[in-house]
Amino acid sequence: VSTQSTWGYYFDIKMDSIASKAGGLLGSSGGTAIASKVVPNESAFPSLSWSTRIMGFAICAGLGIVLQILSTIFGFLLNFTACGVCSALGIILMLGASIFLVGPMRQLKMMFDQKRIFATIGLLVCVILTLIMAFAVKKGILVLIFTIIGWAAYTWYCLSYIPFARDLVIKCFTSCCTSSQPQYLLCLN
C-alpha cells in the first residue's frame, strides 16, 4: 500500500468523521447526509468525493492567497503590472475555489444574491479595471489603487457570508470616525 493511498484513506475517514459530527449539529446523521445537504449534486465535479472537493477548494484558495502575497511583494518592488495581474488572478482563484464545493450555478446564484450583488459587481469591476490599467493604460499608481480597492471589495464580499459581519464593520468605522473620545475599542460598545 502506497503512502499516498494511506494518506488519502486517512483523510477520507477524518472528513467523514467531521461531516458526521457536523451532521449531528445540523440534525442529520452520517457523513453522506451532511455532504448531500451542504454539497448538492450540482457540483462542478460530481464524481469527486467530498474530501477531494475539499482538497480542490483548499488548493485553489491557497494558490489565490499565494498570488495575493506575490502581488504585495511586487507592489513593494514597484512592479505594478505584475502586482495587478497577481492580485486579479488571486481574487479570481479565491472566488472560484468554492465551485468545488457548491458548483458553478449555485456559486453564481450566491454571488448575485440580493445582499451581495453590489459587492460582487464592485469586485468584478475592480478586477477588470486592474487588468485594464496593468496592460492597456500602464499607469502604476492606477493599478495600485484598483488593486487596493479590489482587496477591499473582496473583503466586503467575504463579509457578506458571515452573519452581521458587515454591520459590525460599519459600526466600528462609524464609531471610530464620529467619536471624540480616543478609545481603542469603541466599536465593541
Side-chain angles (χ1 to χ4, degrees):
V1 177
S2 70
T3 307
Q4 179 75 17
S5 63
T6 304
W7 184 84
Y9 177 73
Y10 176 75
F11 187 76
D12 284 340
I13 289 174
K14 280 298 193 188
M15 290 308 299
D16 287 343
S17 171
I18 292 169
S20 66
K21 288 177 184 171
L25 293 173
L26 295 174
S28 65
S29 60
T32 56
I34 188 67
S36 65
K37 281 187 177 186
V38 175
V39 185
N41 234 357
E42 60 188 49
S43 170
F45 308 101
S47 62
L48 296 180
S49 70
W50 174 243
S51 60
T52 307
R53 289 185 210 178
I54 294 254
M55 284 192 292
F57 169 81
I59 289 169
C60 276
L63 287 174
I65 291 169
V66 167
L67 284 171
Q68 293 299 324
I69 292 169
L70 284 174
S71 171
T72 304
I73 292 169
F74 284 129
F76 283 121
L77 296 175
L78 303 179
N79 186 347
F80 297 117
T81 301
C83 172
V85 170
C86 285
S87 174
L89 291 177
I91 288 173
I92 290 169
L93 270 174
M94 289 187 296
L95 275 177
S98 58
I99 290 175
F100 280 97
L101 301 178
V102 297
M105 295 310 295
R106 186 163 177 219
Q107 172 70 16
L108 286 173
K109 286 178 190 173
M110 290 186 325
M111 285 175 65
F112 290 99
D113 186 52
Q114 182 181 359
K115 66 181 175 183
R116 65 182 65 92
I117 189 166
F118 294 116
T120 301
I121 291 171
L123 175 61
L124 295 176
V125 166
C126 282
V127 167
I128 291 167
L129 287 175
T130 300
L131 292 173
I132 289 172
M133 296 303 149
F135 290 119
V137 178
K138 297 187 181 191
K139 293 283 186 183
I141 190 69
L142 293 176
V143 172
L144 190 60
I145 288 170
F146 283 111
T147 298
I148 292 169
I149 294 172
W151 288 341
Y154 183 73
T155 302
W156 192 250
Y157 170 81
C158 289
L159 287 174
S160 72
Y161 286 96
I162 303 168
F164 307 110
R166 285 178 168 180
D167 295 334
L168 179 64
V169 170
I170 290 171
K171 184 178 177 186
C172 284
F173 277 108
T174 303
S175 65
C176 289
C177 293
T178 60
S179 176
S180 61
Q181 300 172 358
Q183 296 178 4
Y184 291 109
L185 300 175
L186 277 176
C187 61
L188 300 177
N189 290 337

